[in-house]
Amino acid sequence: MKKAPALAVLLALAAAVSSCGPDAVKPTADMERLAAVRKVLNDISSDYRERRVDALLARLPADVDKADPALRPGLKRDLERHAKGSLDFEIRRVRMTDADSSVTLHWTVTLTPSKGGPIERKGTAVWTISRPDPPRITQMAGDSPFGVSPQ
């Protein structure tokens, strides 16, 4: 009876050792594209936290001012009026085509004024992120995380 547990441990150890080879698992093309989408969102979060308005605007659609004239001044207002700001994303769904990725996400903006408590806003959006290098947002639909502080 004692041989069965010892044999099970020995088999588990052999399986673990055989799976630890020198060859790394290569990511698929889809995994690389998902990583690129995540990187775009992480870069946007970092630019927001570091108050790099020009870098943020460079990642947005070229016609952002036509589509939403209040976005640029609202973004500047968010970052200039508050001592700290953060923008966090939770990806809910990604749909990929040959040309781009459509990302459904929840976002949370937290703005901390120099006096008083933090302001938190949440929303849901669908962003289309192009595939070219570097990827950039080509379309934005839904709630915008830019320009959420009170006027």
Side-chain angles (χ1 to χ4, degrees), residues 55-112:
L56 280 166
L57 292 172
R59 297 181 193 285
L60 301 181
D63 64 346
V64 72
D65 291 323
K66 289 181 188 174
D68 187 358
L71 189 140
R72 185 181 302 260
L75 173 61
K76 289 181 179 181
R77 181 180 64 244
D78 287 350
L79 298 178
E80 291 171 357
R81 285 188 182 175
H82 299 91
K84 286 175 52 178
S86 68
L87 173 58
D88 299 307
F89 297 105
E90 179 184 340
I91 297 175
R92 302 304 297 164
R93 182 175 151 211
V94 178
R95 194 192 86 220
M96 294 184 288
T97 66
D98 290 340
D100 55 36
S101 300
S102 177
V103 184
T104 303
L105 52 88
H106 295 302
W107 54 261
T108 302
V109 169
T110 305
L111 299 168
T112 307

Side-chain angles (χ1 to χ4, degrees), residues 6-24:
L7 183 61
V9 169
L10 191 60
L11 286 174
L13 183 61
V17 169
S18 67
S19 67
C20 298
D23 297 329

